[in-house]
Protein backbone atom coordinates (compact mmCIF):
# COMPACT_ATOMS: atom_id res chain seq x y z
CA UNK A 1 0.00 0.00 0.00
CA UNK A 2 1.17 3.54 -0.67
CA UNK A 3 2.73 5.53 2.15
CA UNK A 4 1.09 8.48 3.87
CA UNK A 5 1.41 11.88 2.20
CA UNK A 6 4.63 13.75 2.90
CA UNK A 7 5.30 17.48 3.08
CA UNK A 8 4.61 19.70 0.08
CA UNK A 9 7.51 20.28 -2.27
CA UNK A 10 7.65 21.30 -5.93
CA UNK A 11 9.50 19.22 -8.53
CA UNK A 12 12.65 20.80 -10.00
CA UNK A 13 11.80 23.41 -12.66
CA UNK A 14 13.98 21.75 -15.30
CA UNK A 15 14.51 18.09 -16.08
CA UNK A 16 17.39 16.32 -14.33
CA UNK A 17 19.78 14.49 -16.69
CA UNK A 18 18.39 11.17 -17.86
CA UNK A 19 19.99 8.27 -15.92
CA UNK A 20 20.53 6.29 -19.12
CA UNK A 21 20.48 7.00 -22.86
CA UNK A 22 16.99 7.76 -24.10
CA UNK A 23 15.11 4.78 -25.48
CA UNK A 24 12.28 6.77 -27.05
CA UNK A 25 11.41 10.28 -28.16
CA UNK A 26 7.87 11.53 -28.72
CA UNK A 27 6.70 14.81 -30.22
CA UNK A 28 3.62 15.96 -28.29
CA UNK A 29 1.33 18.55 -29.86
CA UNK A 30 -1.89 20.39 -28.85
CA UNK A 31 -1.60 19.29 -25.23
CA UNK A 32 -4.52 20.01 -22.88
CA UNK A 33 -4.51 19.56 -19.10
CA UNK A 34 -7.68 19.37 -16.99
CA UNK A 35 -7.20 19.08 -13.21
CA UNK A 36 -9.29 18.76 -10.05
CA UNK A 37 -8.08 18.70 -6.43
CA UNK A 38 -8.27 15.30 -4.77
CA UNK A 39 -7.83 14.29 -1.12
CA UNK A 40 -4.57 12.29 -0.82
CA UNK A 41 -6.35 9.46 0.96
CA UNK A 42 -8.48 8.87 -2.15
CA UNK A 43 -5.43 8.71 -4.41
CA UNK A 44 -3.22 6.55 -2.16
CA UNK A 45 -4.91 3.14 -2.80
CA UNK A 46 -4.52 3.63 -6.57
CA UNK A 47 -0.73 4.14 -6.49
CA UNK A 48 1.93 1.43 -6.88
CA UNK A 49 3.82 0.06 -3.86
CA UNK A 50 6.69 2.24 -2.70
CA UNK A 51 5.03 5.49 -3.75
CA UNK A 52 2.69 7.93 -2.05
CA UNK A 53 0.54 10.80 -3.27
CA UNK A 54 2.53 13.92 -4.08
CA UNK A 55 0.84 16.89 -2.44
CA UNK A 56 0.80 20.64 -2.73
CA UNK A 57 -0.54 22.48 0.33
CA UNK A 58 -2.03 19.22 1.58
CA UNK A 59 -3.89 18.41 -1.65
CA UNK A 60 -3.08 16.18 -4.59
CA UNK A 61 -4.71 16.27 -8.04
CA UNK A 62 -6.26 14.03 -10.65
CA UNK A 63 -5.64 15.05 -14.24
CA UNK A 64 -7.00 14.26 -17.67
CA UNK A 65 -4.39 15.06 -20.30
CA UNK A 66 -5.07 14.89 -24.06
CA UNK A 67 -2.74 15.47 -27.01
CA UNK A 68 -1.45 14.34 -30.38
CA UNK A 69 1.73 12.32 -30.66
CA UNK A 70 2.97 13.77 -33.94
CA UNK A 71 5.91 11.40 -34.23
CA UNK A 72 7.74 8.72 -32.25
CA UNK A 73 11.38 7.76 -32.57
CA UNK A 74 12.33 4.34 -31.22
CA UNK A 75 15.73 2.81 -30.31
CA UNK A 76 18.19 2.95 -33.18
CA UNK A 77 16.38 5.94 -34.68
CA UNK A 78 13.56 3.74 -35.99
CA UNK A 79 10.59 6.04 -36.74
CA UNK A 80 7.17 5.35 -35.29
CA UNK A 81 3.81 6.67 -36.32
CA UNK A 82 1.63 9.35 -34.77
CA UNK A 83 -1.59 8.89 -32.83
CA UNK A 84 -3.93 10.56 -30.36
CA UNK A 85 -3.84 9.99 -26.60
CA UNK A 86 -6.04 10.82 -23.61
CA UNK A 87 -4.77 9.75 -20.18
CA UNK A 88 -6.01 9.86 -16.61
CA UNK A 89 -3.21 10.42 -14.13
CA UNK A 90 -2.31 10.95 -10.49
CA UNK A 91 0.81 12.49 -8.93
CA UNK A 92 3.33 10.40 -7.00
CA UNK A 93 6.59 10.58 -5.09
CA UNK A 94 8.86 7.70 -4.06
CA UNK A 95 11.37 7.14 -1.28
CA UNK A 96 14.15 8.77 -3.29
CA UNK A 97 12.12 11.94 -3.67
CA UNK A 98 11.40 11.44 -7.38
CA UNK A 99 8.14 13.19 -8.21
CA UNK A 100 6.28 11.77 -11.18
CA UNK A 101 2.94 10.61 -12.49
CA UNK A 102 0.98 7.39 -12.23
CA UNK A 103 -1.28 6.60 -15.15
CA UNK A 104 -4.64 5.04 -14.33
CA UNK A 105 -5.50 4.71 -18.02
CA UNK A 106 -4.07 5.78 -21.37
CA UNK A 107 -6.41 5.86 -24.36
CA UNK A 108 -4.37 5.61 -27.57
CA UNK A 109 -5.39 5.22 -31.21
CA UNK A 110 -2.28 3.15 -32.05
CA UNK A 111 -2.72 -0.59 -31.46
CA UNK A 112 1.07 -1.08 -31.66
CA UNK A 113 1.62 1.50 -28.90
CA UNK A 114 -1.01 -0.17 -26.72
CA UNK A 115 0.60 -3.60 -27.08
CA UNK A 116 4.15 -2.32 -26.60
CA UNK A 117 3.29 -0.13 -23.61
CA UNK A 118 1.48 -2.92 -21.83
CA UNK A 119 4.14 -5.54 -22.52
CA UNK A 120 7.29 -3.47 -21.97
CA UNK A 121 6.26 -1.25 -19.05
CA UNK A 122 2.96 -2.53 -17.66
CA UNK A 123 1.24 0.74 -18.56
CA UNK A 124 -2.59 0.58 -18.68
CA UNK A 125 -2.92 1.48 -22.36
CA UNK A 126 -6.34 1.06 -23.97
CA UNK A 127 -6.95 0.81 -27.70
CA UNK A 128 -9.28 3.67 -28.53
CA UNK A 129 -10.44 5.97 -31.28
CA UNK A 130 -8.93 9.37 -30.41
CA UNK A 131 -9.30 12.62 -32.36
CA UNK A 132 -7.83 16.10 -31.86
CA UNK A 133 -9.04 19.07 -33.91
CA UNK A 134 -8.25 22.78 -33.69
CA UNK A 135 -10.27 25.72 -35.05
CA UNK A 136 -8.84 29.14 -34.25
CA UNK A 137 -8.43 29.36 -30.48
CA UNK A 138 -10.74 26.38 -29.90
CA UNK A 139 -9.49 22.80 -29.57
CA UNK A 140 -11.67 19.69 -29.37
CA UNK A 141 -10.74 16.20 -28.20
CA UNK A 142 -12.73 12.98 -28.39
CA UNK A 143 -12.07 9.38 -27.46
CA UNK A 144 -13.99 6.10 -27.50
CA UNK A 145 -12.45 2.93 -26.10
CA UNK A 146 -12.36 -0.17 -28.29
CA UNK A 147 -10.48 -2.67 -26.12
CA UNK A 148 -10.52 -3.84 -23.40
CA UNK A 149 -14.28 -3.51 -22.90
CA UNK A 150 -14.16 -4.27 -19.16
CA UNK A 151 -15.19 -2.70 -16.75
CA UNK A 152 -17.53 -0.96 -19.19
CA UNK A 153 -17.70 1.58 -22.03
CA UNK A 154 -15.27 4.48 -21.74
CA UNK A 155 -15.54 7.64 -23.78
CA UNK A 156 -14.90 11.34 -23.64
CA UNK A 157 -15.60 14.57 -25.52
CA UNK A 158 -13.88 17.77 -24.37
CA UNK A 159 -13.51 21.28 -25.77
CA UNK A 160 -11.54 24.30 -24.63
CA UNK A 161 -10.67 27.83 -25.68
CA UNK A 162 -7.02 28.88 -25.48
CA UNK A 163 -6.42 32.09 -23.53
CA UNK A 164 -3.47 34.16 -22.37
CA UNK A 165 0.09 32.84 -22.08
CA UNK A 166 1.40 31.83 -18.67
CA UNK A 167 4.46 34.03 -18.18
CA UNK A 168 5.12 33.09 -14.54
CA UNK A 169 3.63 29.67 -13.67
CA UNK A 170 1.98 29.40 -10.27
CA UNK A 171 3.03 26.66 -7.82
CA UNK A 172 -0.02 24.65 -8.94
CA UNK A 173 0.80 25.06 -12.64
CA UNK A 174 4.35 23.93 -11.99
CA UNK A 175 3.19 21.02 -9.81
CA UNK A 176 1.06 19.46 -12.57
CA UNK A 177 3.44 20.09 -15.49
CA UNK A 178 7.04 19.84 -14.16
CA UNK A 179 6.93 16.05 -13.87
CA UNK A 180 10.14 14.33 -14.87
CA UNK A 181 9.11 10.70 -14.93
CA UNK A 182 6.49 8.12 -14.10
CA UNK A 183 5.97 5.25 -11.69
CA UNK A 184 4.55 2.00 -12.99
CA UNK A 185 4.09 -1.47 -11.50
CA UNK A 186 5.40 -4.17 -13.84
CA UNK A 187 6.62 -7.76 -13.41
CA UNK A 188 6.07 -7.60 -9.65
CA UNK A 189 8.09 -4.40 -9.08
CA UNK A 190 7.42 -0.69 -9.00
CA UNK A 191 9.62 0.95 -11.62
CA UNK A 192 10.70 4.49 -12.44
CA UNK A 193 10.82 5.75 -16.04
CA UNK A 194 12.61 9.09 -16.39
CA UNK A 195 11.45 11.80 -18.79
CA UNK A 196 13.04 15.03 -20.04
CA UNK A 197 11.76 17.82 -22.26
CA UNK A 198 12.21 21.57 -22.77
CA UNK A 199 10.14 23.96 -20.68
CA UNK A 200 6.44 23.97 -21.50
CA UNK A 201 4.93 26.94 -23.33
CA UNK A 202 1.74 27.15 -21.31
CA UNK A 203 -1.51 29.03 -21.88
CA UNK A 204 -4.47 29.28 -19.59
CA UNK A 205 -7.66 27.92 -21.12
CA UNK A 206 -11.41 27.89 -20.56
CA UNK A 207 -13.47 24.67 -20.63
CA UNK A 208 -16.25 24.80 -23.23
CA UNK A 209 -17.63 21.28 -22.98
CA UNK A 210 -17.08 18.14 -20.92
CA UNK A 211 -18.70 14.71 -21.25
CA UNK A 212 -16.80 11.59 -20.24
CA UNK A 213 -16.73 8.30 -18.32
CA UNK A 214 -12.93 7.92 -18.20
CA UNK A 215 -12.50 9.06 -14.59
CA UNK A 216 -15.18 6.69 -13.31
CA UNK A 217 -13.69 3.76 -15.25
CA UNK A 218 -10.29 4.60 -13.74
CA UNK A 219 -11.70 4.41 -10.20
CA UNK A 220 -12.09 8.15 -9.59
CA UNK A 221 -15.34 9.88 -8.70
CA UNK A 222 -14.93 13.16 -10.57
CA UNK A 223 -14.73 16.00 -8.07
CA UNK A 224 -17.40 18.71 -8.33
CA UNK A 225 -16.68 22.11 -9.75
CA UNK A 226 -14.98 23.54 -12.81
CA UNK A 227 -11.54 22.08 -13.56
CA UNK A 228 -8.36 24.09 -13.88
CA UNK A 229 -7.39 24.00 -17.57
CA UNK A 230 -4.04 24.60 -19.29
CA UNK A 231 -2.98 24.27 -22.90
CA UNK A 232 0.39 23.95 -24.61
CA UNK A 233 1.30 23.83 -28.31
CA UNK A 234 3.55 20.95 -27.32
CA UNK A 235 7.05 19.75 -26.58
CA UNK A 236 9.44 16.91 -27.49
CA UNK A 237 9.95 14.36 -24.72
CA UNK A 238 12.67 11.74 -24.20
CA UNK A 239 12.24 8.66 -22.00
CA UNK A 240 14.80 6.40 -20.31
CA UNK A 241 14.48 3.54 -17.79
CA UNK A 242 15.38 4.59 -14.28
CA UNK A 243 15.36 1.25 -12.47
CA UNK A 244 13.16 -0.62 -9.98
CA UNK A 245 12.27 0.53 -6.48
CA UNK A 246 13.04 -1.74 -3.51
CA UNK A 247 10.47 -4.46 -3.01
CA UNK A 248 7.57 -3.63 -0.73
CA UNK A 249 5.31 -6.12 0.94
Amino acid sequence: MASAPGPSRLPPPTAPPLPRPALMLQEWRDVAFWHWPLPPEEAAPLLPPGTRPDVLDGVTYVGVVAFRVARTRLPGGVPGGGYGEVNVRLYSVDGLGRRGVVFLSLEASSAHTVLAGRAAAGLPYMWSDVSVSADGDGVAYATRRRLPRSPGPARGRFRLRVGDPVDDPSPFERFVTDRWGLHTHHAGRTRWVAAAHPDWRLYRASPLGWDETLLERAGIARPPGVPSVLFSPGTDTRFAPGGALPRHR
Side-chain angles (χ1 to χ4, degrees), residues 7 28 33 53 61 79 105 108 238:
W28 296 344
F33 304 82
Y61 291 87
S105 64
R238 297 173 293 129

Side-chain angles (χ1 to χ4, degrees), residues 131-223:
S131 66
V132 180
S133 58
D135 182 12
D137 61 356
V139 190
Y141 305 81
T143 182
R144 181 180 63 84
R145 187 176 299 173
R146 291 182 174 219
L147 293 172
R149 293 193 171 93
S150 177
R155 55 168 176 75
R157 298 183 69 86
F158 331 103
R159 293 185 298 118
L160 60 80
R161 176 175 293 118
V162 181
D164 295 330
V166 179
D167 296 322
D168 184 17
S170 68
F172 161 75
E173 289 161 342
R174 283 199 48 215
F175 181 88
V176 297
T177 59
D178 290 344
R179 314 304 296 194
W180 307 117
L182 63 97
H183 293 103
T184 180
H185 195 67
H186 182 51
R189 302 287 295 274
T190 298
R191 302 176 188 275
W192 169 255
V193 178
H197 57 71
D199 292 345
W200 289 104
R201 288 187 295 141
L202 293 173
Y203 294 77
R204 296 192 175 92
S206 302
L208 298 179
W210 184 270
D211 179 24
E212 55 80 32
T213 61
L214 300 176
L215 287 164
E216 178 185 359
R217 296 291 179 253
I220 297 286
R222 182 161 69 88

Side-chain angles (χ1 to χ4, degrees), residues 21-94:
L23 288 182
M24 183 174 67
L25 178 142
Q26 288 186 333
E27 298 176 0
W28 296 344
R29 300 293 180 265
D30 297 326
V31 187
F33 304 82
W34 291 268
H35 283 95
W36 296 261
L38 188 70
E41 60 270 20
E42 293 186 20
L46 302 174
L47 300 181
T51 69
R52 63 182 186 271
D54 198 5
V55 297
L56 181 67
D57 297 328
V59 175
T60 191
Y61 291 87
V62 57
V64 175
V65 181
F67 55 94
R68 291 185 300 110
V69 178
R71 189 176 64 154
T72 302
R73 191 167 69 233
L74 303 171
V78 177
Y83 57 92
E85 180 176 316
V86 180
N87 62 62
V88 177
R89 70 192 206 178
L90 300 175
Y91 296 95
S92 55
V93 60
D94 62 28

Side-chain angles (χ1 to χ4, degrees), residues 84 86 107-109 126-131 142-146 156:
V86 180
E107 316 294 317
S109 54
M126 315 291 177
W127 185 33
S128 307
D129 295 321
V130 181
S131 66
T143 182
R144 181 180 63 84
R145 187 176 299 173
R146 291 182 174 219

